Amino acid sequence: MEYRRLGSSGAIVSTLAMGTMTFGTESDEATSHSQLDAFFAAGGNLIDAADVYSGGVSEEIIGRWLARQSGEVRSRVLLATKGRFRTGSAPNDVGLSRRHLRAALHASLRRLGVDSVDLYQVHAHDPLTPPEETLSFLDDSVRAGDIAYVGLSNYTGWQLQQIVGVAELRSLVRPITLQPQYNLLAREIEWEIVPACLANGLGLLPWSPLGGGWLTGKYTRETRPSGATRLGENPNRGVEAYDRRGSVERTWAVIDAVSSIAGHRAVSMAQVALAWLVDRPGVSSVILGARTLEQLNENLGAAGLHLTADERATLDTASDPAPADYPYGTAGTEQRARSLPPPHHP
Ligand SMILES: NC(=O)c1ccc[n+]([C@@H]2O[C@H](COP(=O)([O-])OP(=O)(O)OC[C@H]3O[C@@H](n4cnc5c(N)ncnc54)[C@H](OP(=O)(O)O)[C@@H]3O)[C@@H](O)[C@H]2O)c1
């Protein structure tokens, strides 16, 4: 396993993180615990949770696993969770208000069975709550010892810049990470969101690194998603979900390019897709998702794998996001090229 700084903080995280969205739904408790065991045995240290995963059951499963661990393992764990989405039917059971976040954070701490979490992430922007209110609650929570660091998730460029600017202006806790959707089939964040992270020193924690399964190679033009799989269960996640140029051909071209590199290297397609993402500029840690222990073990095999410049160039070209309309057209293309410095590992 390799390690990096969590954004511009002094905390050190494994470049692969353990996602827990499947815990309590696709993965039962025994499977979830075996995934956590395997992740820590492989040297991983960052667990990504959320209050809404499996309606809170995911955090309870993590809490029961933590309770069984030795002090040595517990001291290695960096625990991240999130709050913002709806947790009940009352008007204040949602959002980034002080009122809701206080309830959400304390419910997460209770389910996880801990006194504090390392990274508390706001799960999305809330147009109704002033950023000063959210930040002042988070700042108080850092001082109270309930959280160590603050992160964002699913923010646009302007939303990120606004909240970082307010934090600086008011001397409130400054976010250190952004958790966005990012994978070889979804690179649109490179237009504005990655540059916003780089300019502000936020580390990226990409989610859905395998496009929910598309980049594992288990689906082909002939074998479409079906049965008990994430994509088979959700008709909205068909190949068209990553259609970026009015046709699904780009999706298949990306899958073909990943397959060809995996074949030459005798590694799996998932490992190639994960290795590409780990070495993208600004990435701190890529969040793995798995239904089974076997899938997780395969994905953990990406630790320490680095693609050559030629292999990355092949994948970059096949997956290049379609040139968008103004203001991301001609000027945006030039700026994107200038704003993406070389990755950590040439
Ligand atoms: N902040 C946010 O809004 C947000 C949103 C989504 C996720 N997340 C975080 O990111 C984590 C990862 O996201 P994700 O689950 O969408 O990641 P993903 O890697 O894109 O998809 C994971 C799914 O792909 C399939 N899969 C994974 N590895 C495989 C392999 N080696 N072979 C075959 N199939 C494989 C499994 O589904 P099947 O077996 O069902 O096909 C698995 O559940 C989540 O656990 C969560 O912590 C955050």
Side-chain angles (χ1 to χ4, degrees):
M1 187 60 74
E2 295 177 338
Y3 301 89
R4 283 183 188 158
R5 291 169 70 199
L6 184 60
S8 47
S9 80
I12 305 298
V13 291
S14 47
T15 53
L16 300 175
M18 185 72 238
T20 62
M21 196 171 71
T22 55
F23 289 11
T25 44
E26 293 108 306
S27 316
D28 64 18
E29 180 149 349
T31 304
S32 306
H33 284 183
S34 68
Q35 289 191 19
L36 287 166
D37 290 339
F39 176 70
F40 275 83
N45 71 351
L46 176 62
I47 301 176
D48 179 65
D51 58 347
V52 291
Y53 292 165
S54 307
V57 172
S58 173
E59 286 185 328
E60 290 171 355
I61 289 174
I62 298 166
R64 286 191 283 273
W65 179 82
L66 277 172
R68 284 206 334 241
Q69 302 309 305
S70 66
E72 194 273 324
V73 171
R74 284 176 74 107
S75 70
R76 270 176 50 203
V77 173
L78 270 95
L79 205 47
T81 194
K82 317 181 190 82
R84 148 75 170 89
F85 288 135
R86 188 166 278 289
T87 53
S89 54
N92 284 302
D93 290 344
V94 63
L96 294 183
S97 68
R98 176 178 281 275
R99 171 72 163 69
H100 176 65
L101 280 186
R102 186 172 51 208
L105 171 59
H106 288 282
S108 284
L109 295 177
R110 204 167 46 246
R111 285 188 292 264
L112 291 163
V114 295
D115 295 330
S116 68
V117 289
D118 297 284
L119 181 68
Y120 195 63
Q121 304 160 103
V122 295
H123 213 148
H125 173 74
D126 175 8
L128 296 187
T129 308
E132 288 85 347
E133 177 177 339
T134 302
L135 285 168
S136 95
F137 166 75
L138 295 169
D139 197 74
D140 290 347
S141 301
V142 171
R143 286 168 207 278
D146 295 338
I147 64 183
Y149 300 103
V150 167
L152 311 173
S153 184
N154 302 313
Y155 270 51
T156 64
W158 79 262
Q159 292 163 356
L160 182 161
Q161 196 61 60
Q162 180 196 43
I163 198 162
V164 169
V166 170
E168 287 175 348
L169 200 65
R170 302 291 174 95
S171 297
L172 295 169
V173 61
R174 198 178 185 282
I176 60 161
T177 52
L178 174 75
Q179 190 178 134
Q181 179 181 194
Y182 193 22
N183 61 54
L184 271 164
L185 295 172
R187 292 179 57 192
E188 284 68 25
I189 65 163
E190 291 177 10
W191 292 114
E192 185 150 347
I193 296 169
V194 174
C197 287
L198 294 174
N200 290 286
L202 270 66
L204 291 161
L205 300 174
W207 60 259
S208 274
L210 299 176
W214 279 108
L215 292 164
T216 66
K218 64 182 174 183
Y219 307 119
T220 65
R221 289 172 178 81
E222 293 76 37
T223 316
R224 299 302 176 93
S226 66
T229 64
R230 170 97 55 91
L231 304 179
E233 285 161 358
N234 186 346
N236 296 325
R237 298 290 304 273
V239 67
E240 295 77 13
Y242 290 108
D243 170 5
R244 293 291 193 268
R245 289 182 189 158
S247 96
V248 295
E249 278 318 304
R250 169 182 167 274
T251 301
W252 294 123
V254 172
I255 291 169
D256 289 346
V258 174
S259 168
S260 156
I261 292 169
H264 280 109
R265 281 199 167 243
V267 297
S268 78
M269 287 178 60
Q271 289 166 355
V272 169
L274 293 168
W276 176 85
L277 193 52
V278 163
D279 279 344
R280 292 303 291 167
V283 169
S284 288
S285 186
V286 168
I287 309 176
L288 303 179
R291 176 188 291 264
T292 66
L293 179 60
E294 291 69 30
Q295 290 174 353
L296 180 71
N297 281 332
E298 178 184 333
N299 301 348
L300 285 169
L305 178 66
H306 298 286
L307 304 178
T308 65
D310 281 352
E311 289 168 335
R312 281 207 315 273
T314 300
L315 294 173
D316 288 351
T317 305
S319 64
D320 201 32
D325 293 339
Y326 179 88
Y328 302 116
T330 310
T333 301
E334 193 268 348
Q335 287 175 26
R336 182 170 68 108
R338 268 173 73 81
S339 73
L340 293 178
H344 303 273
H345 299 277

